[in-house]
């Protein structure tokens, strides 16, 4: 149907524009409202940002697993949240006796490394096992099939761990040297959160170096471009895919320990929500794009932490933190409307189009 | 299809619907006539009681504790109206979806005489009407949300009663404790949007304000949240003396652990309620729980008398551990109340089969007066509140789940003797 002028704007476009304008108006209105009341001090805003960054760092590390697997296999590994859970939960059974025997207080660094090693080893093995059992046999199946298997694998892992470890919650031990806070330039930062932010950044740098500078990284990029051509060039595609799952699993294992340091609580269902949030981060940043996943994770963490206070408080909404997830997912919808390929997704989308 | 035929079909469908509605005439089975249905229990067959409780997941201790109460009641009672008792059950998950699923599965079994449950108020809100539509009356040992027995609850809840206290009582006790015993004047509350938590937090806030205190914030989180620091930072801007968060194990644990780390809340006293009154909560919260307060049913001998001590002895003998949560005694009473009501309405035919009218059973339960239970003298009002509520406040002493022993650790601190 041909129409002229303003009438060419169809209903869906008009709706999307109204939605964009509405959200921006609410955000601006709420922000002005909050800032003019002066309810929060500068330190409290800094606290919000730090809480968000430490939460975002964990999202980002998990998101790397989603984005790398998507980059290589074009599938969403929905069992990745459970890979994260498996490492964190298993390492609890090392952390608890170490803490009870006093070892963790006497040799905190060694103890932490030990716990980290167990978590990374478990997560990596689970990730590799899931690939071998649930995805490799279906590599040539239609695209929906591995997605369904992924959800199945996710449930299987959850309930396998529930059977192994029980359905209750467990409290991670406190680590003496990580108690308390540092004061940096007028703002205080909890030691655990400082460690989380720094380690997440270091892990992401290491991963980026692996992908960009090493031979394995080059092979991974080649497989993600074109599996057949890569195979013709003598790359063992299966081995590269397993490596990708292993690296993603290792990142999830690190994230699991960082999560345990901050939240100090594990149970068999703990992977679900961070998994969904990390998947959101990966989409936000542009799925398949590694720096995108990092940025998306950090962005989501900060928006979740600051958003309710900044946008909703000024609107006079009571109990804004109940709407935390609404803000996070509205942000996702907004990014998808404005940039369907995600924040950093453009280059990649162009390449693959 | 032409228009007259469409109309004809509609009218016919309406007629069928109307006749089936009108056909809800009294059911006559054996010697019993009942307006909504009759259960026939053949001679020698068991009378089936169902439970719908949360028996898996993070809040499992709440439901397993109640189930043990029912099992002990069955062991004590042995037979009802000459029949053995069989207990079947469903996990209700402590959420609305789980409540609906469990209630639907129980309602599908026409042999179920009555039910005990649910554990969480959020399950009962959608679940109880499903059971009552099937004519099954349910008695909850641990739902405490005020709206479940509010005068405006509506006829779909006609088959719902509870032996647990109404949060109108618990919220009042908690507010009095915070105001008088802790000498606090500023308080904040956090709920998780569930009917239980929201109701209790609101009652606390109302009473606290009436006492003369200030409510600095009434916050909410969502079930499954882990990062509580932002919401706690927001609460810290009001500088409360006390934070009352009547929520469940997982989120309660996170708040307890993270509150100490938020600047401005270092001196703030923490207080939770019976949803976290279990050793599981200590596992989730860790040492940060030390020194915090929990409001919960009073489980001491001076409040409940020697019958409770006897109950604990049997419990220890059968399960080899102390009760897991706060509602075992309420569950025991709920089951016993049902048994007593069944015995009042059950009729036998010449062959020895038993017939129980569903409406009659419901009416008999609502007519319960001065029933001597472990938790006190139970008298049901017209909206299903049967409890004889005794609420205490406990202080966590060691935060070691292995030390869990209500009364000494957590130590009872209110009401003072």
């Amino acid at each position: 149907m041909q129409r002229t002028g303003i009438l060419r704007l169809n209903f869906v476009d008009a709706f999307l524009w109204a939605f964009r304008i509405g959200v921006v108006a609410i955000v601006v209105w709420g922000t002005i409202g909050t800032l003019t009341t002066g309810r929060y001090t500068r330190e409290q805003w800094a606290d919000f940002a730090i809480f968000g960054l430490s939460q975002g760092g964990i999202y980002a590390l998990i998101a790397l697993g989603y984005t790398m697997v998507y980059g290589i296999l074009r599938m969403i590994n929905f069992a990745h949240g459970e890979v994260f859970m498996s490492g964190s939960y298993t390492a609890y059974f090392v952390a608890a006796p170490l803490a009870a025997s006093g070892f963790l207080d006497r040799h905190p660094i060694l103890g932490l490394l030990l716990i980290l090693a167990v978590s990374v080893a478990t997560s990596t093995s689970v990730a590799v096992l899931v690939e071998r059992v649930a995805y490799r046999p279906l590599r040539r199946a239609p695209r929906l099939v591995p997605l369904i298997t992924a959800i199945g694998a996710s449930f299987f892992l959850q309930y396998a761990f529930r059977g192994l470890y029980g359905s209750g919650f467990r409290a991670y031990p406190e680590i003496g040297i990580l108690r308390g806070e540092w004061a940096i330039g007028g703002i205080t930062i909890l030691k655990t959160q400082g460690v989380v932010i720094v380690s997440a950044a270091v892990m992401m740098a290491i991963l980026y170096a692996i992908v960009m500078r090493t031979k394995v990284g080059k092979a991974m990029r080649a497989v993600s471009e074109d599996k057949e051509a890569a195979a013709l060039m003598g790359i063992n595609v299966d081995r590269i895919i397993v490596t990708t799952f292993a690296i993603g699993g290792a990142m999830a294992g690190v994230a699991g320990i960082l999560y345990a340091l901050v939240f100090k609580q594990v149970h068999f269902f703990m992977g679900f929500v961070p998994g969904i949030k990390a998947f959101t981060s990966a989409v936000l940043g542009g799925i398949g794009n590694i720096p995108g996943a990092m940025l998306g994770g950090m962005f989501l963490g900060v928006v979740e932490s600051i958003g309710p206070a900044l946008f909703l408080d000024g609107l006079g909404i009571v109990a804004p933190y109940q709407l935390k997830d609404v803000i996070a997912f509205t942000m996702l919808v907004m990014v998808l409307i404005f940039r369907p390929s995600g924040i950093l997704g453009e280059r990649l989308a162009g390449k693959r189009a | 299809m032409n228009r007259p035929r469409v109309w004809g079909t509609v009218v016919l469908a309406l007629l069928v619907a109307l006749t089936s509605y009108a056909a809800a005439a009294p059911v006559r089975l054996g010697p019993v006539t009942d307006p909504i249905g009759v259960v026939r229990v053949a001679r020698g067959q068991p009378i089936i009681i169902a439970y719908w409780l949360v028996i898996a997941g993070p809040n499992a201790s709440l439901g397993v504790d109640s189930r043990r109460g029912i099992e002990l009641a069955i062991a004590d009672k042995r037979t009802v109206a000459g029949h053995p008792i069989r207990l079947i059950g469903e996990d209700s998950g402590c959420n609305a979806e789980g409540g609906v699923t469990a209630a639907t599965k129980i309602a599908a079994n026409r042999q179920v005489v009555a039910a005990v449950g649910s554990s969480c108020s959020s399950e009962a809100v959608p679940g109880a009407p499903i059971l009552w539509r099937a004519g099954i009356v349910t008695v909850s040992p641990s739902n405490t949300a005020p709206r479940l027995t509010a005068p405006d609850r509506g006829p779909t809840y006609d088959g719902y009663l509870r032996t647990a206290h109404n949060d109108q009582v618990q919220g009042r006790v908690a507010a009095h404790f915070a105001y008088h015993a802790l000498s606090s004047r500023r308080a904040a509350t956090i709920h998780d949007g569930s009917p239980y938590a929201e109701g209790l937090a609101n009652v606390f806030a109302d009473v606290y304000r009436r006492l003369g205190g200030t409510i600095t914030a009434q916050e909410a989180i969502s079930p499954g949240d882990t990062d509580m620091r932002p919401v706690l930072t927001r609460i810290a801007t009001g500088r409360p003396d006390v934070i009352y968060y009547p929520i469940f194990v997982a989120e309660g644990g996170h708040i307890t652990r993270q509150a100490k780390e938020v600047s401005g809340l270092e001196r703030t006293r923490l207080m939770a309620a019976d949803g976290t009154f279990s050793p599981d909560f200590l596992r989730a919260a860790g040492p940060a729980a030390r020194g915090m307060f929990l409001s919960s049913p009073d489980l001491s001998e001076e409040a409940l008398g020697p019958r409770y001590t006897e109950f604990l002895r049997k419990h220890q003998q059968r399960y080899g551990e102390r009760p897991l949560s706060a509602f075992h005694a309420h569950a025991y009473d709920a089951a016993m109340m049902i048994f007593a009501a069944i015995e009042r309405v059950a009729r036998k035919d010449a062959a020895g089969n038993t017939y129980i009218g569903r409406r009659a059973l419901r009416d008999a339960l609502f007519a319960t007066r001065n029933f001597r239970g472990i938790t006190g003298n139970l008298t049901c009002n017209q909206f299903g509140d049967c409890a004889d509520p005794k609420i205490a406040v406990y202080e966590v002493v060691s935060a070691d789940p292995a030390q869990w022993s209500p009364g000494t650790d957590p130590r009872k601190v209110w009401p003072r003797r």
Side-chain angles (χ1 to χ4, degrees), chain A residues 330-353:
Chain A
T330 308
M331 204 52 76
L332 176 70
V333 171
M334 291 299 283
V335 167
L336 291 180
I337 290 177
F338 281 115
R339 285 183 68 91
S341 53
I343 301 173
L344 294 184
E346 193 179 43
R347 235 174 358 155
L348 208 88
K351 217 159 49 182
R352 296 227 169 90

Side-chain angles (χ1 to χ4, degrees), chain B residues 150-167:
Chain B
D152 60 353
R153 66 179 189 159
T156 51
Y157 292 92
D158 277 354
Y160 175 89
L161 306 92
R162 63 175 158 204
T163 52
H165 54 85
N166 186 318
D167 276 335

Side-chain angles (χ1 to χ4, degrees), chain A residues 40 169 171 259 264-265 313, chain B residues 58 234 250 254 257 261 283:
Chain A
Y40 302 97
F169 278 76
Y259 179 96
K264 306 184 185 83
Q265 199 187 81
D313 222 357
Chain B
R234 193 168 188 274
H254 280 304
R257 302 203 102 175
E261 302 173 348
R283 276 184 206 107

Side-chain angles (χ1 to χ4, degrees), chain A residues 39-40 44 47-48 51 55 162 167 169-172 190 193 259 262-265 305 313 319-322, chain B residues 56-58 193 218-222 225-227 229-231 233-234 237 250 253-254 257-258 261 263 283-284:
Chain A
R39 173 175 179 154
Y40 302 97
Q44 275 160 340
D47 281 350
F48 282 137
F51 299 154
Q55 174 80 70
R162 185 183 134 185
S167 64
F169 278 76
R170 308 211 179 235
Y172 248 83
L190 289 173
Q193 295 188 313
Y259 179 96
V262 177
F263 298 119
K264 306 184 185 83
Q265 199 187 81
S305 172
D313 222 357
Y321 275 93
Q322 211 177 14
Chain B
Q218 285 182 279
E219 282 295 339
I221 51 145
S222 318
D225 277 0
T226 50
D227 195 2
R229 291 182 184 87
V231 75
T233 303
R234 193 168 188 274
T237 62
H254 280 304
R257 302 203 102 175
Q258 295 171 24
E261 302 173 348
S263 56
R283 276 184 206 107

Side-chain angles (χ1 to χ4, degrees), chain B residues 71-132:
Chain B
E71 285 166 356
L72 286 172
I74 292 174
D76 279 0
K77 182 75 183 161
R78 292 209 185 90
T79 59
V80 172
H83 295 266
I85 308 159
R86 200 171 129 220
L87 184 67
I88 61 168
E90 294 291 337
D91 177 22
S92 45
C94 199
N95 55 47
E97 299 81 6
V100 168
T101 315
T104 309
K105 281 168 96 170
I106 291 170
N109 186 341
R110 304 304 303 155
Q111 278 309 109
V112 171
V113 176
V116 181
S118 62
S119 295
C120 303
S121 300
S122 45
E123 306 157 346
V125 170
I130 295 175
L131 287 175
W132 184 232

